[in-house]
Amino acid sequence: ETGVTQTPRHLVMGMTNKKSLKCEQHLGHNAMYWYKQSAKKPLELMFVYSLEERVENNSVPSRFSPECPNSSHLFLHLHTLQPEDSALYLCAAGGDRSEKLFFGSGTQLSVL
Amino acid sequence: AQSVTQLDSHVSVSEGTPVLLRCNYSSSYSPSLFWYVQHPNKGLQLLLKYTSAATLVKGINGFEAEFKKSETSFHLTKPSAHMSDAAEFLCVVRRDSSYKLIFGSGTRLLVRP
């Protein structure tokens, strides 16, 4: 148990659906991250929030929309996704510019 | 620009034999380097980190890594592999004063009985 919980663990959605991924941290860290892990590709940073303010947006398509309502919760809202968006989406928490990140187990997303 | 290259996508060893997972980096600055491990159906866990202190870094579960500036390498080693070590290992470099971690493509370690 890393103190970072992601739900759901698995998600299958059609290209016209709207869904949300949820991340919750119980560690009291200031920063939260969304990463994308595709097969045979390195982890890609998507978004970083620090103290509920987005501090990094790594050229992610607008069909991915993050939300950080407070320092313990992070969402990734999904709409009109493409099959190539199928991947493992990992949430992480850490201190400001922390070297040590605590990762959740991820949401395995399949877009049909 | 920072980048990291993991030279082997798969490494297979017998239980009880040494493990070597290779990582080379490029960085314009003095880098911060990390190894993370990812077990199936689990998130990533930090194994060890180098941040310009001792060049030989000891991590959890008997792993260690040596920072060699002249070779721009940060290879991960363990004297004796255990079956429970089988996992994906990710070498990571951090851009100075940045939130951004640059991940390598990973090395899958297989441990044969």
Side-chain angles (χ1 to χ4, degrees), chain B residues 1-2 19 22-24 41 45 52 61 70 82 84-85 99:
Chain B
Q2 281 77 13
V19 176
R22 298 183 292 167
C23 174
N24 286 94
N41 302 315
Q45 180 184 22
S52 74
N61 300 335
S70 60
H82 192 272
S84 61
D85 293 327
Y99 290 97

Side-chain angles (χ1 to χ4, degrees), chain A:
Chain A
E1 180 59 52
T2 64
V4 178
T5 304
Q6 288 186 245
T7 54
R9 292 293 300 272
H10 301 273
L11 178 62
V12 179
M13 59 187 289
M15 289 189 284
T16 58
N17 292 158
K18 288 185 180 181
K19 296 286 184 183
S20 296
L21 310 185
K22 180 182 176 182
C23 177
E24 186 173 357
Q25 62 126 341
H26 310 280
L27 303 169
H29 289 308
N30 291 333
M32 295 186 76
Y33 304 70
W34 279 117
Y35 277 89
K36 177 183 178 182
Q37 188 174 31
S38 305
K40 301 182 181 178
K41 290 177 68 176
L43 251 72
E44 301 170 60
L45 178 65
M46 300 176 74
F47 302 103
V48 182
Y49 276 82
S50 176
L51 297 172
E52 302 147 43
E53 179 184 344
R54 192 186 312 177
V55 295
E56 184 109 14
N57 180 346
N58 213 32
S59 302
V60 179
S62 59
R63 57 186 184 269
F64 295 91
S65 174
E67 178 190 3
C68 188
N70 55 62
S71 58
S72 298
H73 294 87
L74 184 66
F75 295 90
L76 188 63
H77 303 301
L78 316 171
H79 63 98
T80 60
L81 293 191
Q82 304 298 309
E84 60 264 30
D85 296 322
S86 299
L88 180 67
Y89 289 84
L90 291 163
C91 174
D96 281 346
R97 296 180 172 78
S98 173
E99 296 137 0
K100 183 169 184 176
L101 296 183
F102 296 85
F103 284 83
S105 300
T107 295
Q108 187 66 55
L109 174 67
S110 297
V111 182
L112 304 179

Side-chain angles (χ1 to χ4, degrees), chain B:
Chain B
Q2 281 77 13
S3 69
V4 62
T5 303
Q6 291 186 244
L7 298 161
D8 307 294
S9 60
H10 292 82
V11 169
S12 181
V13 301
S14 297
E15 190 174 20
T17 64
V19 176
L20 169 64
L21 305 181
R22 298 183 292 167
C23 174
N24 286 94
Y25 70 92
S26 67
S27 175
S28 304
Y29 311 94
S30 295
S32 295
L33 294 158
F34 315 83
W35 278 98
Y36 276 82
V37 61
Q38 186 176 25
H39 290 276
N41 302 315
K42 292 187 178 180
L44 281 72
Q45 180 184 22
L46 180 67
L47 265 183
L48 50 82
K49 63 179 181 180
Y50 166 78
T51 53
S52 74
T55 56
L56 183 62
V57 182
K58 294 188 183 300
I60 61 172
N61 300 335
F63 285 93
E64 61 182 36
E66 186 172 9
F67 173 72
K68 290 188 177 180
K69 188 174 182 179
S70 60
E71 298 176 11
T72 62
S73 69
F74 190 57
H75 300 334
L76 183 70
T77 60
K78 182 173 181 177
S80 176
H82 192 272
M83 295 297 292
S84 61
D85 293 327
E88 183 90 7
F89 289 80
L90 299 164
C91 185
V92 185
V93 62
R94 189 187 74 166
R95 215 169 64 193
D96 270 0
S97 301
S98 166
Y99 290 97
K100 191 168 184 175
L101 299 180
I102 311 295
F103 283 78
S105 53
T107 298
R108 181 162 297 278
L109 176 65
L110 306 170
V111 182
R112 303 184 303 271

